[in-house]
Amino acid sequence: MSFLDISIIYLIAILIVMLPSYGFYLIFKKLNIPAWKAFVPFLNMWEIYKLTGLKKVWFYCQFLPIVGWFVSLWILVEFAKLLGRFSFLDHAGAVLIPFIYFPYIANHKDTRFIGAEKVRQHKKSGVREWVDAAVFAIVAATLIRAFVFEAYMIPTSSMEKTLLVNDFLFVSKTTYGVRVPNTPLFIPFVHHTVPKLEVKSYSELIQLPYKRWFAKDVDRNDIVVFNLPVGDTVINLPEFQSRITYYDQMLAEGMTNKFDSAGKMIYDLELGRKAILNNPRRYPLITRPVDKRENYIKRCVAIGGDTLEIRGGKLLINGESAYVSPTQASFYHVYVKSILTEQMLRDRGVRISYTQMDYAAMENGKVLQLNLTESELGKVMQMPEVARIEKKSEAPRSDVFPRNKNYAWSSHNFGPLWVPKRGATIALTEDNMVFYRRCIEVYEQNKVEGKAGQYSINGVPAQEYTFKMNYYFMMGDNRDQSQDSRYWGFVPEDHIVGGAWLIFFSLENGIRWDRMLKRIKD
């Protein structure tokens, strides 16, 4: 755990004991305790500890990382009991809204100090004991999930062979600083939808602006969990969601059946947008705040200020060859002289899950499509059954960012593209707006009007724009099987959830013991 992680953990510990300070101040005055102590972190809890009669060890347990948060919350409940407050609502108030609860009871006519002995004499029913324990567990788990780490399962093969389908990870929320939830009113343990009921798990009654405590920039090559940037508008049907995004469907509906001089179909995105908006029964739309958009996990290959390019499947950053993870994989056509089986590949140390093992006739021979790392590629090339290997190529695609007819890019030939950086300024030109309009308008919440070099931002004529956030370019390590920034563009800093930290469990036809408790390093 880094110094930054530890700092954030203790910042939260201090916040817990300081939130009720004003209420402590009012109560301390009535109990003839020097009221100024209410505003000194942990000195206020020392005074409360002396009143409770608890063992001294409990006071010191507050300084344990993470565990100390819950000890402090428990002491707040014990303090409420000392003031004659035993109801479930009282204890929930002491834990959930101490900054409101303690000032409230300090001035309430029924509040009185009864002492530790009477608290010990008070008996709760068995049901109440279970209810209190359950609520405390929920609060504890919710705080940990929101501010420290969260469990995450790898659902797809986009990060093969770095992260495998059914790897279960812990994602550290402190790696890039703790992000304050945009929607603090939510049902614990679910992301954006209540299972079975298929209703929102959160309320937008309170929405907080983007804020990150002890913010740290993402480093190039980090494996990062983030909210899907194009998950802001969703077709709310099981077959769509993040599988087929609103913007993908807009492209599909924008097919014109007309072709350009190169024989490529012409797409009209505005036509596609109208087709969706005019058919709400077929395409029921919902919007989601940033922190409730779908979670994705990819590798950050470019950071703000970088220029990225892909040539023939090779990634270049600022004109130089980019880092290649030992577990990064691409698809190859493997031409064979004789039968090559799955078991033969496994015996050579080649992982062949999520590959196509079917043979097809090609150039009077046999061909396999295999997903290989550089190390595996070398092993396959040495096999006597193999005649030659060719890297799979890809023609320009209409669904590749920026989805503009002037840029015939593909996932294998892409860019060059500059990644926006906080504080950097660009000229507002027609070419620039193809790439950066969504950043300016959607992610940084400006009203942009005009075109062809005559733009206004928030009603003011503008010839340039300075970015307020850092942006990142994310790609899956399984380069040919990954929906990533090549298709939907940049990831803003406010969408960053945390860093992939530890594989705590893994499953494939049984437990993958070799992956248990494995740190995620590259």
Side-chain angles (χ1 to χ4, degrees):
M1 186 175 289
S2 69
F3 176 75
L4 176 64
D5 293 345
I6 294 171
S7 299
I8 292 171
I9 287 170
Y10 282 105
L11 174 66
I12 295 170
I14 290 170
L15 188 65
I16 289 171
V17 301
M18 290 304 292
L19 281 175
S21 289
Y22 180 63
F24 291 170
Y25 170 80
L26 298 174
I27 296 168
F28 283 6
K29 285 203 300 184
K30 293 182 177 182
L31 298 179
N32 294 319
I33 298 171
W36 61 268
K37 293 184 178 181
F39 298 106
V40 180
F42 296 105
L43 181 58
N44 52 12
M45 301 301 282
W46 175 258
E47 293 297 330
I48 292 170
Y49 145 75
K50 290 194 295 185
L51 296 172
T52 62
L54 296 170
K55 292 183 178 180
K56 190 178 290 187
V57 66
W58 290 115
F59 172 79
Y60 292 110
C61 280
Q62 293 178 97
F63 298 99
L64 294 173
I66 302 175
V67 173
W69 299 354
F70 310 113
V71 175
S72 294
L73 292 172
W74 172 59
I75 292 175
L76 293 184
V77 171
E78 293 301 309
F79 189 36
K81 292 178 184 178
L82 287 173
L83 300 171
R85 299 286 176 161
F86 294 96
S87 75
F88 172 77
L89 288 179
D90 278 302
H91 297 175
V95 169
L96 299 176
I97 49 172
F99 51 92
I100 296 174
Y101 175 75
F102 283 102
Y104 166 75
I105 65 169
N107 294 306
H108 197 279
K109 59 183 178 62
D110 293 334
T111 298
R112 66 194 188 285
F113 181 74
I114 62 173
E117 185 57 37
K118 287 191 176 180
V119 170
R120 282 191 288 270
Q121 292 172 2
H122 181 81
K123 299 296 182 183
K124 290 188 289 187
S125 68
V127 172
R128 175 63 190 284
E129 292 279 3
W130 278 103
V131 169
D132 283 359
V135 170
F136 192 81
I138 290 170
V139 171
T142 301
L143 283 172
I144 291 173
R145 186 173 183 267
F147 296 109
V148 185
F149 62 81
E150 181 177 355
Y152 181 83
M153 186 195 77
I154 301 297
T156 71
S157 61
S158 69
M159 284 297 289
E160 292 262 351
K161 302 175 183 183
T162 306
L163 298 171
L164 309 182
V165 173
N166 290 333
D167 275 349
F168 292 80
L169 320 178
F170 283 134
V171 177
S172 169
K173 298 290 187 76
T174 64
T175 302
Y176 306 111
V178 175
R179 185 179 62 170
V180 177
N182 302 115
T183 49
L185 302 179
F186 58 88
I187 297 172
F189 310 127
V190 291
H191 187 41
H192 52 62
T193 304
V194 179
K196 305 296 183 183
L197 298 179
E198 300 302 321
V199 297
K200 291 196 306 184
S201 64
Y202 59 93
S203 169
E204 295 182 74
L205 184 64
I206 298 176
Q207 295 191 67
L208 302 178
Y210 169 60
K211 180 68 177 176
R212 194 180 294 273
W213 297 332
F214 291 97
K216 178 183 178 294
D217 294 336
V218 176
D219 290 329
R220 202 181 292 120
N221 304 318
D222 284 358
I223 298 175
V224 183
V225 175
F226 56 92
N227 299 116
L228 178 64
V230 292
D232 54 342
T233 303
V234 177
I235 300 173
N236 195 27
L237 293 172
E239 61 269 31
F240 288 97
Q241 298 288 336
S242 62
R243 295 182 183 89
I244 303 175
T245 70
Y246 163 71
Y247 302 95
D248 290 335
Q249 193 60 27
M250 188 192 307
L251 187 71
E253 289 285 357
M255 295 172 59
T256 64
N257 293 321
K258 298 177 183 178
F259 298 86
D260 61 18
S261 57
K264 290 179 57 183
M265 182 176 288
I266 298 172
Y267 291 82
D268 186 334
L269 293 180
E270 190 56 34
L271 178 68
R273 186 192 307 274
K274 289 178 180 178
I276 293 174
L277 295 179
N278 292 336
N279 198 346
R281 300 187 97 179
R282 183 180 179 189
Y283 298 123
L285 297 180
I286 60 170
T287 59
R288 287 179 179 148
V290 171
D291 61 336
K292 296 304 177 186
R293 295 170 192 171
E294 209 69 58
N295 287 330
Y296 268 44
I297 183 167
K298 308 287 179 187
R299 186 182 297 278
C300 175
V301 298
I303 61 176
D306 284 345
T307 297
L308 169 143
E309 186 175 5
I310 305 172
R311 295 181 197 161
K314 182 178 180 180
L315 177 63
L316 304 174
I317 301 297
N318 302 323
E320 298 182 358
S321 296
Y323 168 76
V324 178
S325 167
T327 49
Q328 180 182 307
S330 297
F331 274 101
Y332 294 85
H333 288 141
V334 179
Y335 295 81
V336 297
K337 305 170 189 175
S338 58
I339 294 295
L340 183 60
T341 66
E342 178 178 324
Q343 190 57 50
M344 291 166 69
L345 289 164
R346 286 186 180 274
D347 289 345
R348 303 297 202 289
V350 177
R351 178 181 172 81
I352 54 81
S353 64
Y354 301 97
T355 65
Q356 184 177 323
M357 287 298 297
D358 296 330
Y359 286 96
M362 186 178 289
E363 297 184 4
N364 300 318
K366 301 279 189 178
V367 65
L368 286 170
Q369 180 175 270
L370 297 180
N371 194 24
L372 304 172
T373 65
E374 285 195 354
S375 171
E376 290 172 336
L377 176 62
K379 293 176 182 177
V380 174
M381 291 177 71
Q382 298 294 322
M383 298 177 73
E385 296 84 2
V386 173
R388 73 181 193 276
I389 299 177
E390 294 178 0
K391 191 161 188 176
K392 182 182 176 183
S393 60
E394 184 182 78
R397 296 173 52 159
S398 58
D399 61 344
V400 168
F401 183 80
R403 302 189 177 193
N404 184 282
K405 62 183 180 181
N406 295 326
Y407 296 90
W409 294 356
S410 73
S411 65
H412 286 199
N413 292 284
F414 185 98
L417 177 66
W418 179 78
V419 182
K421 180 179 182 179
R422 186 193 311 119
T425 300
I426 60 167
L428 297 182
T429 65
E430 190 170 3
D431 284 344
N432 273 346
M433 291 300 271
V434 168
F435 299 110
Y436 308 116
R437 184 169 190 139
R438 182 172 175 84
C439 297
I440 299 169
E441 193 166 35
V442 177
Y443 303 142
E444 302 198 357
Q445 301 180 356
N446 297 288
K447 184 178 181 181
V448 179
E449 296 176 301
K451 59 182 180 179
Q454 301 295 318
Y455 296 100
S456 68
I457 296 180
N458 301 323
V460 179
Q463 295 183 333
E464 60 184 26
Y465 181 79
T466 301
F467 290 100
K468 302 172 186 173
M469 290 194 289
N470 280 325
Y471 291 80
Y472 304 100
F473 199 94
M474 306 288 186
M475 289 174 63
D477 279 356
N478 187 358
R479 292 291 166 81
D480 297 327
Q481 294 269 289
S482 174
Q483 280 285 330
D484 52 40
S485 287
R486 291 170 292 178
Y487 299 92
W488 32 253
F490 310 109
V491 177
E493 67 178 55
D494 68 341
H495 283 57
I496 301 298
V497 174
W501 175 46
L502 178 77
I503 299 171
F504 67 89
F505 187 70
S506 189
L507 196 63
E508 181 188 47
N509 300 321
I511 297 173
R512 299 183 184 115
W513 293 104
D514 61 326
R515 298 186 67 78
M516 298 285 282
L517 302 180
K518 180 180 178 182
R519 284 292 305 271
I520 301 168
K521 297 178 181 178
D522 55 26

